[in-house]
Amino acid sequence: GSSDSEGREDEYPVHAVKVSGYWMDVHEVTNAEFRKFVRATGYITTAERTPQWSELAKQLPPGTPKPPDSLLVAGALVFTPTAYPVSLNDASQWWQWVKGADWKHPEGPGSNIKGRDQYPVVQISWYDADAYARWAGKRLPAEAEWEYAARGGYKNKSFSWGDEDIEKGRPKANTWQGHFPNSNSDWDGYKGLAPVKSYPSNGYGLYDMAGNVWEWCSDWYNANYYKSLTGKTTVNPKGALSSYDPMEPTIPKRITRGGSFMCNAAYCKGYRVSSRMKTSPDS
């Protein structure tokens, strides 16, 4: 949880959570690593599958009419910077649904990952990440495990490197500098994704625990999770700590952590160690 004044409401209060020993990969899963998994198993990612209306309808208001079958095509959301400043209240202005976008074609059919073996794999749903982890003999971390690892040994600090502002000193993570979403100065060396291990590791020797790409956790999102805890809580090393709250008026979502190259101080401080994000598991 957050120990500073910049957190969102769902980051409070700070709470003591006990975790057993566990391992964490040194860096984000790369295209090369995910390719090995796909070649070994023949796995087809969510973005490569034709959407099923029966599943989509569960995420939409009751009574939403079924779209034409011609619109139910495999694809994914692609970040598309705007040409000019826009209101930050409508994310659809910089996200575009692109037919044929998937992990091998991150920006759409005309793109590829040639020469990007050491870049983090993207266009990966929670289901894809979970499948990869199981194949690799691993598992997705619980949210508390992820945060403990991201802190790198620091206590009560805002970032995995301490409290120094993201844009002071040398570049510490791959984030967005400038005016989001139309102008990125690439002060940190990259306008988009960066290869893993492009920035210094934290105190535990882990890379990109802030910025670059969001990372899936095993947990369901619960906005009131921290508020519902009392005393010290122990995380189950084989499963998620928090659970979905059926009283929430939204569809169940999984936790993502760490922020991405799109996180900007004026819009999304997701690179803070306590910042929580939630996303539908098929996103």
Side-chain angles (χ1 to χ4, degrees):
S2 178
S3 57
D4 59 40
S5 61
E6 295 188 297
R8 300 182 181 91
E9 185 178 355
D10 64 358
E11 296 176 40
Y12 300 101
V14 173
H15 192 82
V17 176
K18 181 180 179 180
V19 296
S20 301
Y22 60 98
W23 296 97
M24 181 74 78
D25 277 4
V26 168
H27 57 71
E28 296 157 332
V29 177
T30 64
N31 285 316
E33 291 171 323
F34 196 77
R35 184 187 299 115
K36 291 179 181 179
F37 160 59
V38 170
R39 287 179 174 174
T41 64
Y43 183 83
I44 299 174
T45 63
T46 299
E48 296 173 279
R49 305 173 194 171
T50 300
Q52 300 299 309
W53 172 243
S54 58
E55 292 300 314
L56 290 176
K58 297 176 184 178
Q59 304 181 30
L60 299 170
T64 300
K66 180 180 179 297
D69 289 340
S70 61
L71 297 180
L72 295 175
V73 296
L77 290 169
V78 173
F79 174 64
T80 308
T82 61
Y84 47 82
V86 297
S87 168
L88 300 181
N89 295 325
D90 181 8
S92 67
Q93 296 174 103
W94 55 86
W95 286 107
Q96 181 179 359
W97 176 263
V98 177
K99 178 182 178 180
D102 55 45
W103 74 275
K104 291 177 290 187
H105 312 93
E107 294 85 38
S111 64
N112 59 65
I113 55 173
K114 184 177 181 180
R116 299 189 197 179
D117 275 3
Q118 294 309 305
Y119 280 69
V121 63
V122 295
Q123 300 296 16
I124 297 298
S125 72
W126 185 91
Y127 302 111
D128 303 334
D130 183 61
Y132 168 84
R134 291 173 182 274
W135 171 81
K138 305 174 183 180
R139 62 176 174 83
L140 297 179
E143 184 178 16
E145 292 175 325
W146 188 96
E147 184 170 319
Y148 185 88
R151 290 183 178 278
Y154 281 120
K155 293 183 178 179
N156 300 320
K157 298 295 183 180
S158 296
F159 312 110
S160 59
W161 56 83
D163 281 327
E164 184 177 65
D165 186 84
I166 185 75
E167 293 184 34
K168 285 186 178 180
R170 62 177 180 172
K172 296 174 278 291
N174 185 19
T175 58
W176 188 284
Q177 299 87 46
H179 191 277
F180 184 85
N182 62 296
S183 177
N184 186 356
S185 71
D186 73 352
W187 169 80
D188 58 23
Y190 296 90
K191 282 194 173 181
L193 294 177
V196 298
K197 303 176 73 172
S198 292
Y199 301 89
S201 65
N202 72 2
Y204 291 149
L206 305 174
Y207 294 85
D208 295 313
M209 298 303 287
N212 215 17
V213 296
W214 287 97
E215 297 160 11
W216 290 108
C217 293
S218 58
D219 309 57
W220 290 107
Y221 175 76
N222 183 335
N224 298 313
Y225 174 64
Y226 283 112
K227 297 178 179 62
S228 68
L229 297 176
T230 57
K232 291 187 177 181
T233 302
T234 301
V235 65
N236 180 352
K238 294 185 178 181
L241 178 63
S242 55
S243 60
Y244 170 60
D245 182 356
M247 298 304 292
E248 289 186 355
T250 57
I251 62 168
K253 295 182 179 181
R254 295 282 187 175
I255 289 284
T256 55
R257 284 288 200 133
S260 73
F261 74 89
M262 291 175 278
C263 283
N264 174 266
Y267 170 64
C268 165
K269 281 197 170 183
Y271 45 77
R272 295 168 54 261
V273 287
S274 59
S275 183
R276 311 175 74 205
M277 184 62 78
K278 71 277 191 186
T279 306
S280 59
D282 60 354
S283 177

